[in-house]
Amino acid sequence: MSWGGIIQAYRDRLPLPEGAKIITLGEGNTPLLAAPRLVTALRGDFDLRLKYEGMNPTASFKDRGMTMAVTHAVAKGAKLVICASTGNTSASASAYAARAGIASAVIIPAGKIALGKLTQALIHGAKLLPISGNFDDALNLIRQMSNLPGVEVVNSINPVRIEGQKTASFEILETLERTPDFHFLPVGNAGNITAYWKGFCEALPQGPRPRMFGWQAAGAAPLVDGHIVKDPQTIATAIRIGNPASGPAALTAIKDSNGRIDKVTDEEILSAYQLLAQTEGIFVEPACAAPVAGLRKAVAAGWIPKGSLVTMTLTGHGLKDPDTALSLFPNAPSAIAPTLEAARKALGL
Ligand code: AN7
């Protein structure tokens, strides 16, 4: 049978309204890639598998939750889905709303959304409401709008989003046919780490389960620092969040899994971002490089025993944020003559 998205695949494990029309773009079933060259570069000695969520229809993990949220919204008769977003939620919400034939409106921090994500929301016909504030301000506004008639909030404060996102854990376990020792992922609003842990708990009721290692950007690390961050700052705009909605659930996941929440600097993120692209051919957006940088830190600290099985979620595709990638290459190559001689000279051959 061909792949029909996560609701079709996991219908028995997802809450669905009676007779709901499923709104899907064929999300899920993403690759789980071995990464031996990256492990060598990190000077590790373990098995690393990367869940490449950039391969979802709108190029981020949000699609797993959005098929659920928009399916529920349509079943309830909603005419408009709304969300606050650092970019990927808005891209996904606007695509699934278009697919369903309903409207979408997205509240975003003005000037802080990666180019690809903004482009997606526009092309899918979303109403864009940039605010002079950050993601936390946007989510605050969304909470106030949640009771407006005909409106459905599709942020991860909507519990069906978490339900959809937990399916990534199911896929990892089915692919590996064993339990990872560690699971690494970036943490922003903390919905995804909450969802993965829910998935692992449901699939492995008796345990053992992976230890959850979540990574925040140093300038936006409320869960690591132990307090709300009023003016979060990081190059990884996807996780530029100072007051995560699912913070308490994330901390429970970390505690119950004997895991860890930690932070990495923008410099470490950018270095890991290039290392992943150049050792494994996998292009991610900067937020996804936070757990890669985290893994480097964990190896150096001796936290990953030899022979461990480590899984990591790469949450979004690198093409979402071409500006950050290009900024690393300020000197664009200049044109050469179309001759063998000039090509040989340029390549040193
Ligand atoms: C690529 O789109 O919050 O910890 O509004 O886009 O579940 O918030 C995005 C978050 C990680 C963090 N990686 O996940 C939004 C938004 C990428 C992301 C996260 C996001 P959560």
Side-chain angles (χ1 to χ4, degrees):
M1 195 174 70
S2 68
W3 183 258
I6 60 136
I7 295 180
Q8 186 185 84
Y10 298 107
R11 198 169 190 136
D12 54 335
R13 295 189 250 179
L14 295 170
L16 275 179
E18 189 93 22
K21 175 174 189 271
I22 296 172
I23 309 299
T24 179
L25 286 163
E27 60 296 315
N29 196 23
T30 53
L32 188 67
L33 301 166
R37 284 170 42 78
L38 176 62
V39 173
T40 301
L42 297 176
R43 302 182 198 286
D45 188 0
F46 52 87
D47 187 355
L48 175 62
R49 307 294 176 93
L50 304 172
K51 186 71 169 158
Y52 193 15
E53 290 287 284
M55 297 306 285
N56 275 299
T58 79
S60 87
F61 72 100
K62 303 286 182 182
D63 296 343
R64 292 179 187 273
M66 207 53 72
T67 182
M68 285 290 289
V70 175
T71 294
H72 277 255
V74 169
K76 283 187 194 170
K79 298 284 177 267
L80 173 72
V81 296
I82 59 169
C83 64
S85 184
T86 59
N88 279 325
T89 299
S90 59
S92 187
S94 55
Y96 281 80
R99 183 89 169 148
I102 60 176
S104 60
V106 304
I107 299 182
I108 52 177
K112 296 291 184 182
I113 303 292
L115 183 65
K117 305 172 189 181
L118 197 62
T119 309
Q120 288 175 290
L122 288 168
I123 200 75
H124 292 305
K127 182 105 186 146
L128 244 62
L129 297 182
I131 57 159
S132 52
N134 58 32
F135 171 83
D136 304 294
D137 300 317
L139 189 59
N140 237 334
L141 177 53
I142 284 289
R143 288 184 196 275
Q144 296 170 51
M145 295 168 70
S146 63
N147 290 324
L148 296 176
V151 165
E152 179 82 347
V153 173
V154 297
N155 278 106
S156 58
I157 54 175
N158 179 337
V160 303
R161 277 274 314 274
I162 304 289
E163 292 294 325
Q165 286 171 214
K166 77 183 179 188
T167 59
S169 296
F170 300 162
E171 290 179 15
I172 288 172
L173 296 173
E174 284 160 23
T175 305
L176 292 173
E177 296 183 328
R178 57 168 286 213
T179 304
D181 299 301
F182 299 88
H183 187 78
F184 277 54
L185 77 176
V187 174
N189 209 27
N192 211 29
I193 191 169
T194 303
Y196 270 75
W197 182 241
K198 186 166 201 287
F200 285 131
C201 288
E202 287 182 12
L204 303 164
Q206 315 296 333
R209 306 181 190 116
R211 297 176 63 187
M212 304 298 291
F213 275 42
W215 296 89
Q216 300 204 285
L223 298 179
V224 183
D225 298 343
H227 56 79
I228 291 170
V229 176
K230 281 238 150 52
D231 184 21
Q233 294 298 344
T234 171
I235 191 157
T237 52
I239 52 173
R240 185 172 166 268
I241 295 172
N243 185 15
S246 298
L251 293 175
T252 300
I254 285 153
K255 182 162 165 282
D256 291 354
S257 72
N258 189 25
R260 188 176 278 272
I261 181 90
D262 206 339
K263 59 185 176 181
V264 285
T265 64
D266 279 5
E267 202 178 10
E268 290 169 325
I269 288 172
L270 285 179
S271 163
Y273 172 68
Q274 292 178 84
L275 184 68
L276 175 63
Q278 294 178 8
T279 55
E280 297 292 357
I282 301 173
F283 184 26
V284 295
E285 62 170 290
C288 319
V292 180
L295 184 56
R296 173 182 264 161
K297 198 166 163 174
V299 170
W303 295 338
I304 313 293
K306 186 171 175 211
S308 296
L309 175 58
V310 181
T311 48
M312 181 188 291
T313 310
L314 301 176
T315 43
H317 202 285
L319 291 171
K320 292 272 190 177
D321 188 358
D323 292 322
T324 299
L326 280 173
S327 73
L328 301 171
F329 305 93
N331 304 313
S334 49
I336 61 162
T339 63
L340 177 61
E341 192 191 358
R344 284 185 65 175
K345 184 161 172 249
L347 294 174
L349 295 173

